[in-house]
Amino acid sequence: MRPGTHRPSVPLEHRHVTRRIPQARDRGIPDATVARLPLYLRALNGLSERGTPTVSSEDLAMAAGVNSAKLRKDLSHLGSYGTRGVGYDVQYLIYQISRELGLTQDWAVAIVGVGNLGRALANYGGFASRGFRIAGLLDADPAVVGDRIAGLVVEHTDELESVIAGRAVSIVVIATPATAAQHVCDRVTEAGVTSILNFAPVVLNVPEGVDVRKVDLSIELQILAFHEQRKANGGPIMAEEWPGGVEQVNERSIGASS
Amino acid sequence: MRPGTHRPSVPLEHRHVTRRIPQARDRGIPDATVARLPLYLRALNGLSERGTPTVSSEDLAMAAGVNSAKLRKDLSHLGSYGTRGVGYDVQYLIYQISRELGLTQDWAVAIVGVGNLGRALANYGGFASRGFRIAGLLDADPAVVGDRIAGLVVEHTDELESVIAGRAVSIVVIATPATAAQHVCDRVTEAGVTSILNFAPVVLNVPEGVDVRKVDLSIELQILAFHEQRKANGGPIMAEEWPGGVEQVNERSIGASS
DNA sequence: TGCTGTGAAGTCTTTCACAGCA
DNA sequence: TGCTGTGAAAGACTTCACAGCA
């Protein structure tokens, strides 16, 4: 890719036969990159607040907790927004990443399930800050309906469809007990929602085209436990602990294959 | 794809000594696999509760929301716990995965920061269920200290080190405001903790050997927004949408030129 | 000179597809 | 026969290392 302009009007791809669309605007940003953009954005906002005008890939990477090669590669998927010898303009990069993530528009979010977690989410500041507006809080428990939380009155889940349609909700957060999650999920997808953030510890079944992201406390803890156990046992490097074969592990199978 | 056409022609491989330990019991379980084991465990527990004695990779994969090839490959890293022609014994597999994840022992967890989120976590049932025991709730706010939550009395963060040492806490959950997170992190790592679950929206700096897992609500929403925006724009398949250049994308950046 | 952008190499993960055992 | 376990291929992601522009 020549660094030149990213406008197809420039005649610079003489020999290279259509490789995969030159530099143009290949919208295929890798998932791994998308997942890190919010991190960069946060780091940039920190720099912005301190009035920093430009930042090098090295420094920004440091602030975001990644290495600089990865950061540069990630940003290169968005376009050529840096200046060689100088770095990136903080404000400009904030704008570009925000636009790429779709944060320059307003997203109406509904939270279903106003238990401890739902309340925590409703009160979570970082929510409203970045283009996400809580447009509805719903719960099935009549004892909770009517409560005022974070400036909103909790509505009954009977209203789910009308809230979604009436307030143009495009993202639904499910914070219900596990048993209710699939049902809520079915209703919101039926109502046209295609983005769901699920806190309930269940695997949701959704129609094609619906995006579900999951946050699962217990899974994170289990992953930590795995590594913690590993540290406790042998040293950091080893293979074949349990020399003899303690705890009959069904040795066979891979015995002498391959 | 194509059958015999693609031949790598064996480029390198001149003298690759010691590939990576034959197989024996190579304890190097891929991270991606470890991250899915809790999922399988949950699915298996569901089957167990319904009294299912054995399950095929196909069915278990379905219940866990992955494909069967991936599931078999994952399980193969633990050992050969299935029976060809039959499937996996549910109870036995539960035991093996639990053991691998270190869930057959008890883990003492301390939660620092008892705001909305901390309370939600303290009351989260899935917590205690799987070998994780909340051994302490701490907060810096005197107004909160002394409260009884989920059967525990909130202690002051001054007690952090003594709680960790005295109750053998090995995993700390940070649910403080962003500004306090790094300080708490420093103290707990100093106190010897090497596993941290961080809910504060900051990148924590930790010494070598310390594991940090992060749960970040706002990042999840931003990722959803990205995909939602993508759906709204062009169709699901395309490269170079915005043919003309709708939404003047600030061509310049580094001077539209080159 | 300093730092970005990026081919190329390296590593990790997923998927295929089938040998082989119950 | 049916289903696991697994090499091998394909694909995704990361890192290297450096050309080339400001």
Side-chain angles (χ1 to χ4, degrees):
Chain A
M1 315 306 199
R2 273 300 29 91
T5 108
H6 9 55
R7 227 53 262 242
S9 52
V10 177
L12 44 68
E13 293 288 327
H14 296 83
R15 41 241 277 162
H16 288 191
V17 209
T18 49
R19 203 192 327 203
R20 190 185 187 244
I21 294 184
Q23 167 72 251
R25 320 221 102 254
D26 184 339
R27 251 65 260 303
I29 298 178
D31 286 347
T33 293
V34 172
R36 282 187 296 265
L37 291 180
L39 235 52
Y40 303 153
L41 195 50
R42 178 175 294 153
L44 285 164
N45 280 321
L47 291 167
S48 172
E49 276 163 26
R50 277 181 281 144
T52 312
T54 62
V55 64
S56 68
S57 65
E58 192 67 51
D59 292 348
L60 181 53
M62 175 84 62
V66 303
N67 70 50
S68 65
K70 192 184 285 181
L71 178 126
R72 288 200 302 280
K73 182 68 101 183
D74 282 343
L75 294 185
S76 78
H77 290 296
L78 310 190
S80 280
Y81 297 144
T83 304
R84 290 166 201 243
V86 179
Y88 301 89
D89 179 278
V90 173
Q91 295 308 318
Y92 186 57
L93 196 49
I94 286 176
Y95 168 70
Q96 289 300 344
I97 295 179
S98 296
R99 188 174 53 74
E100 198 66 56
L101 286 173
L103 304 181
T104 50
Q105 62 188 278
D106 185 78
W107 297 100
V109 177
I111 297 176
V112 185
V114 192
N116 280 301
L117 181 59
R119 281 164 207 266
L121 298 177
N123 285 302
Y124 177 48
F127 229 76
S129 72
R130 205 154 285 321
F132 299 102
R133 181 173 45 81
I134 300 182
L137 296 176
L138 303 97
D139 202 291
D141 182 355
V144 175
V145 174
D147 282 8
R148 176 172 286 272
I149 298 172
L152 284 164
V153 174
V154 178
E155 295 162 274
H156 194 275
T157 42
D158 285 350
E159 311 297 327
L160 194 48
E161 286 78 6
S162 72
V163 166
I164 290 171
R167 298 173 208 166
V169 168
S170 48
I171 300 178
V172 168
V173 176
I174 297 181
T176 64
T179 48
Q182 183 63 57
H183 180 59
V184 168
C185 175
D186 291 344
R187 286 179 60 191
V188 303
T189 53
E190 178 61 35
V193 169
T194 56
S195 293
I196 295 173
L197 180 52
N198 179 36
F199 284 84
V202 288
V203 174
L204 294 180
N205 270 94
V206 294
E208 179 82 6
V210 174
D211 253 311
V212 177
R213 293 198 65 86
K214 185 179 47 164
V215 174
D216 194 317
L217 215 236
S218 142
I219 284 180
E220 299 300 326
L221 279 179
Q222 288 174 58
I223 295 171
L224 280 177
F226 171 84
H227 292 293
E228 185 70 22
Q229 173 184 239
R230 186 63 52 109
K231 292 174 204 156
N233 279 359
I237 301 173
M238 85 290 108
E240 191 154 21
E241 45 204 37
W242 301 352
V246 183
E247 189 127 308
Q248 83 307 24
V249 191
N250 273 359
E251 227 53 298
R252 67 286 189 36
S253 90
I254 43 176
S257 50
S258 80
Chain B
M1 300 312 197
R2 263 115 90 255
T5 29
H6 248 301
R7 228 55 232 250
S9 73
V10 193
L12 21 75
E13 289 302 335
H14 290 301
R15 71 303 192 76
H16 238 160
V17 248
T18 47
R19 212 222 322 256
R20 196 182 192 250
I21 296 179
Q23 32 200 265
R25 317 227 98 251
D26 183 340
R27 249 65 259 301
I29 299 179
D31 286 347
T33 293
V34 172
R36 282 186 295 264
L37 292 180
L39 235 53
Y40 303 153
L41 194 50
R42 178 175 293 155
L44 285 164
N45 279 323
L47 292 167
S48 172
E49 276 162 26
R50 276 180 282 144
T52 312
T54 62
V55 63
S56 68
S57 64
E58 192 67 51
D59 292 349
L60 180 53
M62 174 85 62
V66 302
N67 69 50
S68 65
K70 192 184 286 181
L71 179 128
R72 288 199 303 280
K73 182 66 103 182
D74 282 344
L75 294 186
S76 78
H77 287 108
L78 310 190
S80 280
Y81 298 142
T83 305
R84 291 166 201 244
V86 178
Y88 301 89
D89 180 277
V90 172
Q91 295 308 318
Y92 186 57
L93 197 49
I94 285 177
Y95 167 70
Q96 289 300 345
I97 294 179
S98 296
R99 188 174 52 74
E100 198 65 57
L101 286 173
L103 304 180
T104 49
Q105 62 188 279
D106 184 77
W107 297 100
V109 177
I111 297 177
V112 184
V114 193
N116 280 301
L117 181 59
R119 280 164 207 267
L121 298 177
N123 285 302
Y124 177 49
F127 227 76
S129 72
R130 204 154 286 319
F132 299 101
R133 180 173 45 81
I134 300 183
L137 296 177
L138 302 98
D139 202 292
D141 183 355
V144 176
V145 173
D147 282 8
R148 176 172 287 273
I149 298 172
L152 283 165
V153 175
V154 177
E155 294 162 274
H156 194 274
T157 42
D158 284 350
E159 310 297 325
L160 194 47
E161 286 77 7
S162 72
V163 166
I164 290 171
R167 298 173 208 166
V169 168
S170 48
I171 299 178
V172 168
V173 176
I174 297 182
T176 65
T179 48
Q182 182 63 58
H183 179 60
V184 169
C185 175
D186 291 344
R187 286 179 60 191
V188 303
T189 53
E190 179 60 33
V193 170
T194 57
S195 293
I196 295 173
L197 181 51
N198 178 35
F199 283 86
V202 288
V203 174
L204 294 179
N205 270 95
V206 294
E208 179 81 8
V210 174
D211 254 310
V212 177
R213 292 198 65 86
K214 184 179 46 166
V215 173
D216 195 317
L217 214 237
S218 142
I219 284 181
E220 299 300 326
L221 279 179
Q222 290 175 55
I223 296 171
L224 279 177
F226 171 84
H227 292 293
E228 186 69 22
Q229 173 183 239
R230 187 63 54 106
K231 292 175 205 156
N233 280 356
I237 302 173
M238 81 295 106
E240 193 157 19
E241 46 203 35
W242 300 353
V246 183
E247 182 129 320
Q248 84 306 22
V249 192
N250 269 355
E251 231 59 293
R252 69 317 182 353
S253 96
I254 43 174
S257 48
S258 68

